[in-house]
Amino acid sequence: MTILAFGVQADERPLIEQAFGERPVHSLDVFLNADTAPIAAGHEIISVSVNADLGADVLETLAAGGTRMIAQRATGFNNIDLAAASRLGLTVARVSYYSPHAVAEFAWTLAMAVNRRVVRAARRTREFDFRLDGLLGRDMHGATVGVIGTGKIGGAFARIAAGFGMRLLGWDVAPNPECEELGMEYVELPRLLAEADLISLHVPLLPETHHLIDREALRAMRDDAILVNSSRGGLVDTDALVDELRRGRFTGVGLDVYEAEAGLFFMDKSLEVVADDTLARLMTFGNVLVTSHQAYYTREAVGQIVDATVRNVEDYLAGRTNENTLVAPGLPVPTAD
């Protein structure tokens, strides 16, 4: 039995093929969507990346072609129609855990890069322009950080912030005792937005968190605040963010995710005209840094993702489910990510 893996990055390919051992894997760099789903015909098991389209139409094509198990190499599952998967008798599994440090450290990379104008400075020095004009940053020590979502990744982010000597504010449905031990004060979201010098998002994308940072939230933030999103693009109303940036607000914005990233991120679009006007406008702001959903992309995290994917496949073949199983015949359909 050959496993078909969609959306495999070049660095990821040897890790996947080695982890599956003697079980053959056919790795594709194309992403799963309505156009590519017919490629899976004849493959009982497929593996997909974070940007796969697993809507009802795609799932129906997969099921009609003989696919019975989908192993997603990602945590979030807002891209999967779980009700349709259950109706079609499919087994769907995800990776519920991988290194939280990978994402937390990258969120801090974005924060410090926009704070200390690293991209602008690097561009200048490549042209032998060594002036400091426009490169003034601020100390993180003594500043206030607002952590929205204090689970594993938010907690790791908060520990780094404590190392900087920052005042910690948190917002979540339930406090994290480890964050409270760091001195974090849990407050209502409006207060966090109003007081934080740096705001970092670490909540999942759910109907109730879609556009959590909307126009009202953005206007509640300090004019010189830094906003970082390394979680899900849909947490931020990007059009509203562009409007606020046009008004000259915010010291910096670091985005590793974008709400319309499907069909763009993980692909080379350098020779094409990108028709996304909102993303194009974001790129014009010198205080905005956009990266391509790479926060998770460390050797350790990808290794853990691949290992979990292998276990999900082996458990399916053995007739077992595990904590990563989202849908399987006989299991209830989960209602939230």
Side-chain angles (χ1 to χ4, degrees), residues 167-213:
R167 172 182 174 232
L168 307 179
L169 298 180
W171 180 84
D172 208 328
V173 293
N176 181 338
E178 293 181 2
C179 290
E180 290 181 314
E181 289 178 8
L182 295 172
M184 176 176 284
E185 179 183 2
Y186 279 87
V187 298
E188 295 300 317
L189 187 58
R191 181 181 162 193
L192 182 151
L193 295 170
E195 295 185 14
D197 300 293
L198 164 63
I199 295 170
S200 191
L201 307 180
H202 302 286
V203 293
L205 180 60
L206 306 169
E208 55 268 33
T209 60
H210 180 257
H211 285 185
L212 179 68
I213 305 301

Side-chain angles (χ1 to χ4, degrees), residues 223-239:
D223 287 344
D224 61 351
I226 294 171
L227 174 65
V228 172
N229 186 10
S230 59
S231 183
R232 287 291 183 269
L235 299 175
V236 177
D237 182 340
T238 317
D239 288 326

Side-chain angles (χ1 to χ4, degrees), residues 76 133 321:
D133 298 347
T321 60

